[in-house]
Amino acid sequence: MTLTTQQQILIEQRVTNEAKSTGAAYLIWFLLGGLGVHRFYLGRTGSGIAQLMLFIFGWITLPIFVGAFLLITLAIWVLIDAFLIPGMVQSHKEEVRRGLTSSALIMSSS
């Protein structure tokens, strides 16, 4: 079964309304990137926790110089995230679109 044009338009409107903002993701990344907050915002909880742990343990172990390596690793990861944010936002939009499409198909087949 396929969706009608009206259903497709409604899905795209909901995707636009429910999707995460690239601008907001970059703002969060700029202000709180080292804490992984931008990853929490984009639904990447596991890697957000990993970044947060690197930040915490990096600062705790900085006096014994282990923390420097953790913080450098985190800094590189956060810098790479600047290039990955658009793809993460697009991935979130696709997830929302898939969910709405499957719900619409289920409703139209009932």
Side-chain angles (χ1 to χ4, degrees), residues 29 32-40 45-57 74 77-79 81:
W29 169 84
L32 301 168
L35 299 173
V37 177
H38 61 289
R39 285 189 165 265
F40 288 108
T45 308
S47 56
I49 290 171
Q51 285 186 343
L52 183 60
M53 292 295 104
L54 277 173
F55 180 84
I56 292 169
F57 291 122
L74 176 62
W77 189 2
V78 170
L79 183 62
D81 273 357

Side-chain angles (χ1 to χ4, degrees), residues 7-62:
Q7 288 173 316
Q8 292 173 348
I9 290 170
L10 289 173
I11 287 171
E12 288 306 313
Q13 286 175 340
R14 292 217 23 218
V15 167
T16 301
N17 291 340
E18 295 178 21
K20 303 296 184 182
S21 164
T22 304
Y26 273 115
L27 181 63
I28 294 167
W29 169 84
F30 183 75
L31 297 174
L32 301 168
L35 299 173
V37 177
H38 61 289
R39 285 189 165 265
F40 288 108
Y41 171 72
L42 293 169
R44 310 278 175 127
T45 308
S47 56
I49 290 171
Q51 285 186 343
L52 183 60
M53 292 295 104
L54 277 173
F55 180 84
I56 292 169
F57 291 122
W59 282 106
I60 289 172
T61 59
L62 191 58

Side-chain angles (χ1 to χ4, degrees), residues 16 18 36 39 50 68 70-71 78 80-83 86 95-96 101 103:
T16 301
E18 295 178 21
R39 285 189 165 265
L70 297 177
L71 292 174
V78 170
I80 291 170
D81 273 357
F83 299 98
E95 280 181 39
V96 170
T101 301
S103 295

Side-chain angles (χ1 to χ4, degrees), residues 20 22 84-95 97:
K20 303 296 184 182
T22 304
L84 297 178
I85 285 175
M88 287 189 266
V89 170
Q90 190 60 36
S91 175
H92 182 265
K93 284 182 182 180
E94 290 300 322
E95 280 181 39
R97 185 175 289 115

